[in-house]
Amino acid sequence: MARCLDSLLKQTINEIEIICVNDGSPDHTIDILKGYQEKYSDKVRVIDKCNEGVWKARLEGVTEAKGKYVGFIDADDYVKPNYAEIMLNTAINYDADITICGFERMDMETGIVFSREMCKKENAFSPKNNPAKLISINGAVWNKIFKADLIKSMKTIANPPTIWEDIVFQLLLYPKVKKVAYTGECLICYMVHQNSAINTVKLEQIEEIYCALTEVRDIYAENATDMLSLFDTIAFLHLGISLNFRLSCDKTLDLKSIFQKNNAILNQKFPLWKKSKYLRFSYMVKNGFANWKLWIMKLIYQMHGLRLFLSVYRFMINKLKIDIKW
């Protein structure tokens, strides 16, 4: 945590505020945060609250934010000295609602860099003109900054999940996003550890994911009907591929029955994925082979080859150290 705060305090621009939300930590976190607040009272503000989860902690931080743009950095991670300057300049230059930067995945214990991702400069885009580009945006919020007004006007849900909060959060924002921009710079060091929530999914949490995505889809059905097909395509990506992959890593589970239930939920609650234009060969070719990996996954999925594919995929990651970025 100290490394994270120190990296934010050493930014190349001064026009930032650092809002630290202590979500009921049982250790001495609050004492450390108050120490920083006393020392850097012009930049650091601390919110001490009872434990209600990441979702409410983030929203409370946004409510207190005074700036035009808001970013979220996890306490384990840290940023490069020019993080805020590059992100802010990019957001202003493109008048972007969401600005995305690259990052390094690093082993928390050894500091070894596993990969550098999203460090290639891409053109800014408007979801209205090219909605399929939203599918390729990674689900994390920590490598992005957002217009504060966008978040403050965001419709929320009654039952946010305890995992995949980032994915649900971004889906709630998409209907009002007018411009997305990329820095093309590697600005964040993301720490990876074995007990990370992204590597583990408990069975009871699956129901939370179903419920949250269904709630968000209801909001789309009421306020963004033209984006329902896009939403169901993204649901296929996360439920049909990502969730099944995470679950397949647990050899104690009855994967056959879980996959069957996942498929039933996908078809029942998010039915437009099957006929989504974003997963058609013609659309892929017309748009420069956009989402071609997801198109291939649709074929594998419909041919009932998912379990075999996931076995090969795990081998590639664990033994060959090759990971496919969807």
Side-chain angles (χ1 to χ4, degrees):
M1 180 178 60
R3 179 171 58 180
C4 177
L5 287 169
D6 290 341
S7 72
L8 290 169
L9 288 164
K10 294 177 182 178
Q11 291 300 294
T12 53
I13 58 173
N14 292 319
E15 299 83 1
I16 65 171
E17 58 178 351
I18 303 169
I19 301 174
C20 307
V21 183
N22 181 53
D23 189 39
S25 298
D27 52 20
H28 298 291
T29 295
I30 187 60
D31 297 326
I32 297 173
L33 292 178
K34 286 183 176 179
Y36 273 88
Q37 182 175 241
E38 290 176 6
K39 187 175 181 180
Y40 304 99
S41 58
D42 58 326
K43 285 188 177 181
V44 178
R45 282 191 287 153
V46 176
I47 299 174
D48 187 23
K49 61 186 294 296
C50 61
N51 179 256
E52 294 181 286
V54 174
W55 186 273
K56 289 190 176 181
R58 282 178 177 161
L59 291 183
E60 189 155 345
V62 171
T63 300
E64 292 294 320
K66 298 176 181 177
K68 184 177 180 180
Y69 298 93
V70 174
F72 305 96
I73 303 296
D74 294 339
D76 290 337
D77 307 334
Y78 63 98
V79 300
K80 303 293 179 65
N82 55 354
Y83 158 79
E85 182 174 7
I86 292 177
M87 291 289 266
L88 179 61
N89 288 341
T90 303
I92 293 174
N93 288 342
Y94 291 99
D95 190 24
D97 297 287
I98 301 177
T99 303
I100 305 170
C101 72
F103 56 91
E104 295 177 333
R105 290 187 183 273
M106 300 177 65
D107 183 82
M108 179 171 285
E109 300 297 328
T110 65
I112 294 174
V113 176
F114 293 132
S115 64
R116 290 182 174 87
E117 302 173 25
M118 305 191 73
C119 299
K120 182 180 178 181
K121 181 68 174 180
E122 295 188 42
N123 294 328
F125 73 94
S126 164
K128 181 179 179 180
N129 298 328
N130 192 358
K133 286 282 287 182
L134 291 173
I135 300 172
S136 62
I137 294 179
N138 69 316
V141 300
W142 43 258
N143 73 320
K144 302 172 179 69
I145 63 171
F146 308 85
K147 280 187 177 178
D149 288 346
L150 178 70
I151 301 176
K152 291 177 180 179
S153 65
M154 177 185 79
K155 291 183 177 294
T156 189
I157 56 176
N159 300 292
T162 56
I163 62 170
W164 289 21
E165 304 98 331
D166 290 17
I167 294 168
V168 175
F169 185 90
Q170 288 187 179
L171 284 169
L172 285 167
L173 294 176
Y174 286 167
K176 291 189 176 182
V177 172
K178 296 179 180 178
K179 182 69 71 68
V180 178
Y182 301 84
T183 68
E185 301 277 353
C186 183
L187 300 176
I188 294 178
C189 297
Y190 174 74
M191 299 293 106
V192 178
H193 51 95
Q194 292 301 313
N195 294 325
S196 172
I198 196 172
N199 293 324
T200 56
V201 178
K202 298 177 182 178
L203 287 178
E204 59 268 25
Q205 292 173 316
I206 300 176
E207 295 297 331
E208 295 180 14
I209 296 171
Y210 293 155
C211 181
L213 289 178
T214 301
E215 278 193 77
V216 179
R217 193 184 193 278
D218 289 342
I219 292 175
Y220 275 64
E222 183 178 350
N223 301 281
T225 54
D226 58 320
M227 297 181 71
L228 275 175
S229 180
L230 177 75
F231 183 91
D232 286 4
T233 304
I234 296 175
F236 166 66
L237 167 62
H238 292 298
L239 293 181
I241 302 175
S242 298
L243 180 58
N244 280 333
F245 170 70
R246 300 300 171 194
L247 293 168
S248 74
C249 295
D250 188 342
K251 297 181 180 179
T252 66
L253 299 177
D254 180 2
L255 294 180
K256 182 178 179 180
S257 63
I258 291 175
F259 284 5
Q260 287 176 342
K261 182 175 181 180
N262 249 1
N263 184 58
I265 292 292
L266 191 59
N267 293 335
Q268 177 187 358
K269 301 291 187 179
F270 314 98
L272 299 181
W273 78 270
K274 283 189 172 183
K275 296 183 178 181
S276 169
K277 69 176 183 179
Y278 307 109
L279 296 178
R280 293 175 187 165
F281 182 77
S282 58
Y283 184 91
M284 177 185 66
V285 173
K286 183 179 179 181
N287 290 273
F289 289 89
N291 303 319
W292 65 270
K293 289 178 285 189
L294 196 57
W295 175 77
I296 291 174
M297 278 308 306
K298 177 188 176 183
L299 297 181
I300 293 173
Y301 194 90
Q302 292 181 325
M303 291 188 296
H304 306 288
L306 183 63
R307 294 186 69 179
L308 175 60
F309 169 80
L310 292 179
S311 296
V312 175
Y313 188 23
R314 288 197 307 273
F315 176 81
M316 290 171 60
I317 293 176
N318 297 329
K319 301 299 182 181
L320 304 180
K321 307 302 179 183
I322 298 174
D323 195 358
I324 301 172
K325 302 304 176 186
W326 300 101

